[in-house]
Amino acid sequence: MPPATHIPHRCLARHAAPPAIRTPHGCLARHVAPPASRGEETGLLDGTRGNRVTIAPDTGTAPRGRTVVPPGRGGGPAGPSRGGGPGSSSTAVHPNQPRTPTPPRATSAWADDDELSRIPLWRRIRHEHRVLAIALLTVLPAVAVVATVAPRAGLSPGARWVLCAIVLACWILGALALRATVTRPLQTLANMIASLREGDYTLRARGARPDDALGLAVLETNLLGDQLRAHRLGEMEATALLRSVMAEIDVAIFAFDEDRRLRLINRAGERLLAQPAERLLGREAAALQLAPALSGAVPRVEDFTWPGAGGRWGVRRTLVRQGGRSHTLLVLTDLSRTLREEQLAAWQRIVRVLSHEINNSTAPIQSIAHTLRGLVTREPPPPDLAADVTRGLAVIAARSEALGRLMSSYARLAKLPPPNRAPVDVDAWVRRAAALETRVPVEMTGGPTVTVQADADQLDQLLINLLRNAADAALETHAAVTLRWRADDTQLELEVIDGGPGLAGTANLFVPFYTTKTNGSGIGLVLCRQIAEAHGGTLSLANRRDARGCVATLRLPVA
């Protein structure tokens, strides 16, 4: 660690890192830091292209320049002052170091002529001059007494003049020392606060003592600088992390200002538009073929074609503010590959299930047909040939009908129409569906009065299927079925609870045509979940925690 720079007034200490620069007054010394990017100072939308998150320059920022300290504020009698002495510079900064721009003031911080006319004359005098005047006036009676008593003390005229000169010199020097003692620490604190206001958190003051009034003020100022510096470092680290994520993520991100001009783009956005950021920033959304994505409902999935890619895209938007100005953040996600993979996986599951079911039907048909052909061609024919042929044809017919029902169920599942929404009273809907189940008792726990926008026929089909499954399970243990629901301002939650043996496994519950029942079709739960998702809801099944059995939970949005 380099040695600390000596300061004659000894009012400031420095975090020893880069060499300090002495100001003319000797109160302040400033670290010279390497130039920092504006993004590290002002945020994400004012960053640089160091990590390929490119931002257009904002023409609305304040101009760069020196902060001029008015006379009597924090330093010398006139001119820009940060060090406290006359003629000291505004700040000691390396010539190549970019200064943090001082934001323009909405109103002047200094009093105008009208305000000055209303301020008492004593308050218009500068603080250090008031301190000097008070010091002089305080000692003036003693000086007057010495001047009066000296001629009567029997001293020679020369001795009297020397005594008066000594008293006058001590009087003036003491007053000046008192003024310096009072004003120099205030100037030091003013310079520190000014550095904090300008974003420089490297200054630290000496003499921080919690048992001293002035030392306590210095201590609190130092602690404020430490806290602001830690906050700045945290912001810089968070901004750097966010830029890295935006640069590397495989999602196109754009930011448009209020005029729909592009202000931010990441690497994925450049690939999408097939142009470098330098040619894209500042252009309007319509010229970039992004205007359709900036309108319409979100989130949504839509087909788009851009110079760099095309297909199905997920569109999301949100509003952010930077520098007091509103920006629209547009996020485009390529869903084509994901959808293709999901479609391929869905087709594979369907083909696997259909192959299994078709083989289960065609295998016995093929075996019986082969047996019957052997019986018919046998010489002499067996005496019970007619009965064997009748039984074989009956089996073939039964398996063919089962295969037909399977294909009809698949067509029914694939051709579910979109819901025809209308107001549905939940209490009436639940009671209507519960009345159709007569095999087991159905207990209803009354819930709040609520209405949902839904297709009543499809909801009836959904709840009837859930009640039928619950009744089948309850019959095995001679238990009952319970229906209950609750709702808030956004969501309805309905539960169908049975006291059956519970679920052995949940991995294949919603796989089409998968069933553990002897006469099951394997599409009931799949159809129920499809209806729930078509209404913007969800359906889940789980074993009960308080007792044996299963609970089916249906969640639907409330109108």
Side-chain angles (χ1 to χ4, degrees):
M1 180 177 295
T5 304
H6 174 70
I7 302 174
H9 190 263
R10 306 184 69 182
C11 56
L12 285 184
R14 170 93 27 218
H15 289 304
I21 296 177
R22 294 180 58 186
T23 60
H25 185 269
C27 290
L28 291 178
R30 185 179 301 281
H31 282 309
V32 180
S37 66
R38 293 182 61 226
E40 294 177 346
E41 298 175 356
T42 58
L44 183 62
L45 294 182
D46 292 328
T48 62
R49 289 202 60 200
N51 53 8
R52 297 294 295 171
V53 179
T54 311
I55 299 95
D58 190 354
T59 58
T61 56
R64 296 177 180 268
R66 299 173 61 186
T67 303
V68 179
V69 180
R73 302 282 177 167
S81 175
R82 287 287 307 281
S88 60
S89 61
S90 172
T91 180
V93 183
H94 193 277
N96 295 328
Q97 179 184 4
R99 287 178 50 85
T100 304
T102 301
R105 298 179 182 269
T107 58
S108 176
W110 318 115
D112 55 17
D113 294 338
D114 294 337
E115 293 177 348
L116 286 175
S117 63
R118 293 192 296 269
I119 299 176
L121 180 61
W122 174 252
R123 299 294 298 175
R124 300 184 202 175
I125 303 175
R126 292 170 57 178
H127 176 72
E128 56 266 30
H129 294 169
R130 293 202 305 270
V131 172
L132 179 60
I134 292 174
L136 292 174
L137 293 175
T138 301
V139 188
L140 182 60
V143 175
V145 171
V146 172
T148 303
V149 174
R152 304 175 183 178
L155 299 176
S156 63
R160 290 198 300 269
W161 282 109
V162 171
L163 178 61
C164 291
I166 293 174
V167 171
L168 183 62
C170 293
W171 177 32
I172 296 176
L173 292 177
L176 293 175
L178 177 61
R179 185 187 72 165
T181 303
V182 173
T183 59
R184 293 292 177 84
L186 296 179
Q187 292 172 353
T188 298
L189 291 177
N191 283 321
M192 286 195 61
I193 295 173
S195 68
L196 296 179
R197 175 176 56 82
E198 294 183 359
D200 182 3
Y201 308 132
T202 59
L203 294 180
R204 297 294 181 271
R206 292 191 179 98
R209 296 172 53 188
D211 58 346
D212 179 74
L214 179 61
L216 182 60
V218 172
L219 176 63
E220 292 296 334
T221 307
N222 288 344
L223 294 177
L224 177 62
D226 292 337
Q227 184 176 359
L228 293 177
R229 182 173 180 271
H231 184 66
R232 165 68 66 84
L233 291 177
E235 286 185 344
M236 292 171 59
E237 292 173 354
T239 301
L241 175 61
L242 181 59
R243 287 183 187 156
S244 300
V245 172
M246 290 181 59
E248 300 300 330
I249 193 172
D250 192 20
V251 173
I253 300 177
F254 308 89
F256 293 88
D257 61 13
E258 296 171 338
D259 299 327
R260 288 198 169 188
R261 292 187 178 274
L262 184 64
R263 294 301 177 189
L264 178 143
I265 185 173
N266 67 342
R267 191 178 303 167
E270 295 181 19
R271 292 196 301 266
L272 179 64
L273 300 180
Q275 293 187 53
E278 291 79 3
R279 298 183 181 180
L280 298 173
L281 292 175
R283 298 177 61 183
E284 295 184 353
L288 301 175
Q289 304 178 17
L290 292 174
L294 290 175
S295 58
V298 288
R300 72 178 190 270
V301 178
E302 191 172 343
D303 291 323
F304 289 105
T305 301
W306 286 290
R312 302 279 287 176
W313 294 83
V315 181
R316 292 181 177 272
R317 292 193 310 271
T318 186
L319 293 178
V320 297
R321 300 190 68 84
Q322 177 69 21
R325 303 177 62 185
S326 176
H327 292 74
T328 301
L329 191 67
L330 175 64
V331 179
L332 300 175
T333 307
D334 186 6
L335 302 179
S336 300
R337 180 177 179 181
T338 303
L339 291 176
R340 286 194 298 267
E341 293 176 352
E342 290 294 329
Q343 289 175 353
L344 178 59
W347 278 112
Q348 290 175 346
R349 289 194 299 268
I350 291 174
V351 170
R352 183 171 63 251
V353 173
L354 289 178
S355 298
H356 175 73
E357 295 296 333
I358 292 174
N359 288 333
N360 288 343
S361 297
T362 57
I365 291 175
Q366 182 180 5
S367 176
I368 292 174
H370 182 72
T371 301
L372 293 179
R373 185 179 59 182
L375 293 176
V376 171
T377 58
R378 183 181 303 177
E379 291 293 342
D384 55 350
L385 176 62
D388 291 339
V389 171
T390 301
R391 288 194 299 270
L393 293 177
V395 173
I396 292 175
R399 298 311 305 167
S400 299
E401 291 175 359
L403 187 59
R405 288 194 301 270
L406 174 68
M407 302 308 298
S408 298
S409 300
Y410 174 75
R412 178 187 175 192
L413 181 64
K415 296 179 180 179
L416 181 69
N420 184 16
R421 296 178 183 269
V424 176
D425 182 72
V426 173
D427 184 77
W429 162 50
V430 172
R431 294 182 182 278
R432 184 171 60 249
L436 299 177
E437 181 55 60
T438 59
R439 295 176 295 168
V440 297
V442 179
E443 301 175 358
M444 288 191 300
T445 302
T449 302
V450 62
T451 301
V452 296
Q453 292 288 333
D455 189 318
D457 294 336
Q458 291 187 6
L459 288 188
D460 285 344
Q461 187 176 10
L462 184 154
L463 190 52
I464 289 172
N465 282 336
L466 293 181
L467 285 172
R468 183 182 296 115
N469 289 340
D472 292 340
L475 285 173
E476 298 182 20
T477 58
H478 305 286
V481 175
T482 302
L483 268 173
R484 66 186 182 189
W485 71 93
R486 52 183 173 268
D488 53 24
D489 295 337
T490 60
Q491 181 177 262
L492 165 70
E493 183 176 296
L494 184 144
E495 293 179 340
V496 180
I497 306 172
D498 66 67
L503 300 173
T506 59
N508 298 317
L509 285 177
F510 296 101
V511 175
F513 312 111
Y514 174 83
T515 180
T516 58
K517 300 178 182 179
T518 305
N519 299 321
S521 62
I523 68 166
L525 288 177
V526 180
L527 186 62
C528 290
R529 187 172 70 170
Q530 189 173 351
I531 293 174
E533 292 178 349
H535 287 79
T538 60
L539 176 64
S540 61
L541 275 79
N543 288 318
R544 297 174 59 180
R545 296 182 178 180
D546 56 343
R548 186 174 61 173
C550 172
V551 54
T553 304
L554 172 66
R555 295 180 178 89
L556 294 175
V558 175

